[in-house]
């Protein structure tokens, strides 16, 4: 597991760089293209090679002299040539489908990735894949019940021997109905996964998922297929997109321990029959720091007040409106004043609250994004939506909650004034209230909270990229 986490960390520090097959120098080893954020020590640890040997193989005398785009020969990997690329395992990938698609032998793949068991193929984990001029196969095919490999080959304008070779089958008799095979040509599904036939394609964006992140699961199916599923312990809700795919948005709790969790997609066919695909997914740490201890009004940390208020908030943000009100990017709710990008506290920070003059305390995390600014500054809607709550609370102060549709909600705490009421449709950029210091605060500020299918997520993610 340590190896896998290290691999992911290395990947996240890098940008995606398109590379072309490069042969190693005189067969001394495969080539790795240095990525931004790499160091020689991290590369040596990543590939489990000695740092001195790595420097010697590349004629490097100063470990600090390394630049992005530089080609490094990786010693000690006998029998492996070409360029070493990193692929993040996505939903539907498996040990068998990945080796078939990339045409990398199982022995080489295991050697590079120290794979002990196929169960190590968690969604979100990075795997090293060498490219040495062999083109990956992108056409996915499978035999139906009663269909022979010969019949499948005819449909593919191919032959039994090629299909057997590409997919490491012993012969025409070795094909199992429903097994995912890969072939050259264009008469199949242009997809790289090992998903069942009902699901044409599936993709999870932004892997690996982290604490406080938003999972985006996009699935394309055969016509008239209804989707459901589970991520961690939450029921997925799928909604149709204009391109015919179905998408589910799911928040990951900031306090969920990093580790491996279930991900399943269920497909219900028009005749009522069902197919499903389940795979483990890796959730990594959000690396959230600790905030200073906060001394607040004891009433605002009294369970008699906090628990009923939280339950009411959960009830409000649980429904998933089938209408999607927003389109494109979310805007900062502080966009009309200078503090639009001045954050006094970030989402996920670990917190301890102590009641002033008492020994009563509670621990948790910061559930939103705090913007600086004093009382009276305007708060704007980050995206179009419908107001579903506007009123005073003990902990959150004067609160406005907007339903953006598809299970996505914005909440604005501690306001001094309301400009909207329940039932109003608000447009992106419309002023909905004013900054204040009501509720559990140490001073006036704007707290913006974002809920995605019942879980608070980092609003900043929604400011820097468009969902879905």
């Amino acid at each position: 597991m340590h190896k896998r986490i290290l691999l992911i960390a290395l990947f996240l520090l890098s940008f995606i760089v398109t590379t072309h097959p490069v042969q190693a120098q005189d067969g001394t080893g495969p080539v790795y293209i240095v990525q931004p954020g790499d160091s020689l020590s991290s590369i040596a640890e990543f590939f489990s090679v000695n740092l001195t040997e790595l420097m010697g193989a590349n004629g490097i005398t100063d470990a600090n002299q390394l630049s992005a785009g530089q080609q490094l020969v990786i010693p000690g990997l006998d029998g492996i040539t070409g360029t070493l690329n990193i692929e993040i395992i996505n939903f539907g990938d498996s040990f068998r489908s990945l080796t078939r698609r990339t045409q990398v032998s199982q022995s080489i793949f295991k050697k590079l990735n120290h794979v002990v068991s196929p169960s190590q193929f968690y969604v979100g984990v990075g795997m090293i894949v060498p490219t040495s001029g062999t083109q990956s196969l992108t056409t996915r095919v499978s035999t139906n019940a009663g269909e022979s490999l010969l019949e499948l080959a005819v449909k593919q304008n191919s032959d039994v021997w090629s299909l057997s070779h590409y997919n490491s089958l012993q012969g025409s008799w070795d094909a199992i109905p429903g097994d995912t095979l890969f072939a050259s040509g264009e008469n199949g599904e242009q997809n790289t996964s090992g998903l069942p036939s009902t699901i044409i394609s599936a993709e999870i964006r932004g892997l690996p998922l982290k604490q406080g992140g938003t999972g985006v699961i996009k699935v394309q199916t055969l016509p008239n297929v209804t989707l459901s599923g589970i991520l961690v312990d939450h029921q997925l809700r799928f909604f149709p997109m204009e391109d015919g795919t179905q998408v589910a948005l799911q928040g990951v709790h900031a306090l969920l321990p990093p580790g491996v969790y279930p991900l399943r997609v269920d497909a219900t066919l028009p005749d009522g029959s069902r197919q499903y695909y389940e795979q483990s997914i890796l959730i990594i740490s959000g690396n959230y720091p600790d905030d200073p201890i906060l001394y607040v009004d004891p009433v605002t940390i009294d369970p008699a007040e906090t628990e009923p208020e939280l339950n009411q908030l959960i009830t409000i943000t649980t429904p998933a409106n089938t209408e999607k009100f927003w389109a494109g990017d979310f805007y900062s709710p502080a966009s009309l004043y200078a503090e639009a990008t001045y954050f006094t506290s970030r989402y996920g920070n670990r917190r301890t609250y102590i009641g002033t003059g008492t020994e009563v305390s509670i621990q948790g995390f910061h559930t939103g994004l705090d913007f600086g600014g004093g009382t009276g500054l305007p708060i704007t809607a980050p995206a179009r939506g419908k107001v579903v709550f506007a009123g005073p609370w003990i902990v959150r102060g004067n609160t406005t909650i907007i339903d953006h549709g598809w299970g996505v909600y914005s909440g604005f705490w501690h306001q001094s004034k309301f400009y909207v009421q329940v039932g109003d449709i608000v447009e992106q950029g419309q002023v909905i209230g004013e900054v204040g210091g009501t509720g559990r605060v140490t001073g006036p500020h704007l707290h913006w909270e974002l809920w995605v299918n019942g879980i608070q997520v980092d609003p900043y993610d929604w400011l820097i990229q468009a969902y879905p």
Side-chain angles (χ1 to χ4, degrees):
M1 176 62 73
H2 175 73
K3 181 76 175 180
R4 302 274 73 81
I5 298 296
L6 176 64
L7 187 90
I8 292 167
L10 184 65
F11 179 81
L12 289 175
L13 288 172
S14 65
F15 300 102
I16 297 175
V17 177
T18 302
T19 60
H20 300 281
V22 179
Q23 294 299 322
Q25 301 171 1
D26 301 324
T28 56
V31 170
Y32 172 71
I33 309 298
V34 177
Q35 306 294 302
D38 281 348
S39 67
L40 275 177
S41 58
S42 68
I43 294 171
E45 183 177 2
F46 179 69
F47 289 104
S48 300
V49 300
N50 181 275
L51 176 59
T52 302
E53 293 178 357
L54 178 63
M55 293 175 66
N58 293 276
I60 296 175
T61 57
D62 185 352
N64 295 318
Q65 292 183 352
L66 196 68
S67 59
Q70 182 177 344
Q71 298 182 9
L72 290 183
V73 171
I74 307 299
L77 297 177
D78 297 337
I80 301 174
T81 61
T83 301
L84 300 178
N85 295 321
I86 298 172
E87 286 202 25
I88 297 297
I89 300 302
N90 215 308
F91 189 59
D93 285 332
S94 68
F95 178 79
R96 181 165 58 182
S97 68
L98 188 58
T99 54
R100 285 177 172 177
R101 172 169 59 83
T102 61
Q103 293 295 286
V104 175
S105 71
Q106 294 189 11
S107 59
I108 289 179
F109 195 87
K110 288 180 178 179
K111 181 177 182 179
L112 279 172
N113 294 283
H114 305 281
V115 173
V116 176
S117 167
S119 63
Q120 290 177 280
F121 271 72
Y122 310 132
V123 175
V125 169
M127 291 287 174
I128 307 169
V129 178
T131 58
S132 55
T134 301
Q135 185 176 4
S136 294
L137 305 177
T138 58
T139 299
R140 184 182 67 153
V141 296
S142 60
T143 54
N144 299 317
E147 183 180 40
S148 68
L149 194 64
L150 175 60
E151 292 171 308
L152 180 63
V154 171
K155 288 195 303 185
Q156 287 300 120
N157 292 326
S158 182
D159 58 80
V160 171
W161 298 275
S162 295
L163 286 178
S164 298
H165 171 72
Y166 287 143
N167 296 281
S168 301
L169 301 178
Q170 297 181 24
S172 60
W173 62 89
D174 199 24
I176 301 172
D179 188 18
T180 300
L181 306 177
F182 289 88
S184 59
E186 301 179 353
N187 296 331
E189 298 164 6
Q190 298 300 310
N191 181 270
T192 59
S193 75
L195 294 165
S197 57
T198 303
I199 300 176
I200 297 173
S201 66
E203 177 189 11
I204 302 175
R205 197 178 80 186
L207 292 173
L209 295 185
K210 66 175 183 176
Q211 296 169 321
T214 300
V216 181
I217 301 99
K218 290 185 176 181
V219 180
Q220 183 179 8
T221 69
L222 296 178
N224 303 315
V225 171
T226 302
L227 294 177
S228 59
I230 292 176
L231 175 59
V232 186
D233 58 356
H234 267 65
Q235 294 287 336
L236 296 176
R237 295 160 166 171
F238 284 88
F239 301 93
M241 299 185 68
E242 292 181 356
D243 62 1
T245 61
Q246 298 184 54
V247 63
L249 303 175
Q250 180 58 62
V252 179
H253 202 283
L255 297 180
L256 181 72
V260 177
Y261 294 90
L263 168 63
R264 192 182 78 230
V265 171
D266 299 291
T268 302
L269 282 66
D271 63 3
S273 61
R274 294 184 178 182
Q275 294 183 1
Y276 75 94
Y277 192 88
E278 185 169 357
Q279 195 169 2
S280 295
I281 185 169
L282 182 66
I283 307 295
I284 65 172
S285 171
N287 297 314
Y288 299 117
D290 293 327
D291 273 347
I293 293 176
L294 299 174
Y295 294 88
V296 296
D297 185 340
V299 175
T300 63
I301 59 173
D302 182 354
E305 299 290 348
T306 61
E307 291 181 9
E309 185 172 307
L310 177 59
N311 290 336
Q312 187 179 359
L313 175 59
I314 292 173
T315 299
I316 292 171
T317 55
T318 293
N321 195 326
T322 57
E323 182 177 1
K324 177 175 175 282
F325 293 105
W326 90 93
D329 297 337
F330 273 50
Y331 293 169
S332 168
S335 59
L336 293 185
Y337 60 93
E339 287 79 3
T341 57
Y342 169 50
F343 308 125
T344 56
S345 183
R346 301 294 292 262
Y347 168 91
N349 291 4
R350 284 16 183 173
R351 284 189 164 183
T352 298
Y353 296 93
I354 296 179
T356 303
T358 73
E359 296 183 356
V360 178
S361 67
I362 60 171
Q363 293 182 328
F365 72 99
H366 190 220
T367 55
L369 187 62
D370 283 353
F371 297 82
T375 299
L377 292 172
I379 303 169
T380 55
R384 188 172 186 269
K386 182 178 182 179
V387 178
V388 291
F389 182 84
W393 274 341
I394 296 296
V395 178
R396 293 159 182 83
N398 293 333
T399 295
T400 298
I401 300 176
I402 297 173
D403 177 7
H404 300 292
W406 287 13
V408 179
Y409 293 82
S410 282
F412 309 91
W413 309 164
H414 316 309
Q415 296 174 236
S416 60
K417 290 183 180 179
F418 299 104
Y419 288 170
V420 294
Q421 58 186 354
V422 173
D424 287 352
I425 299 295
V426 295
E427 301 298 331
Q428 186 176 51
Q430 178 180 334
V431 177
I432 61 171
E434 293 182 5
V435 174
T438 56
R440 188 170 66 196
V441 297
T442 57
H445 67 281
L446 166 60
H447 173 106
W448 175 32
E449 193 157 302
L450 197 64
W451 289 69
V452 178
N453 201 24
I455 298 291
Q456 299 118 316
V457 302
D458 190 347
Y460 184 75
D461 291 344
W462 285 66
L463 290 179
I464 61 175
Q465 57 187 310
Y467 288 85

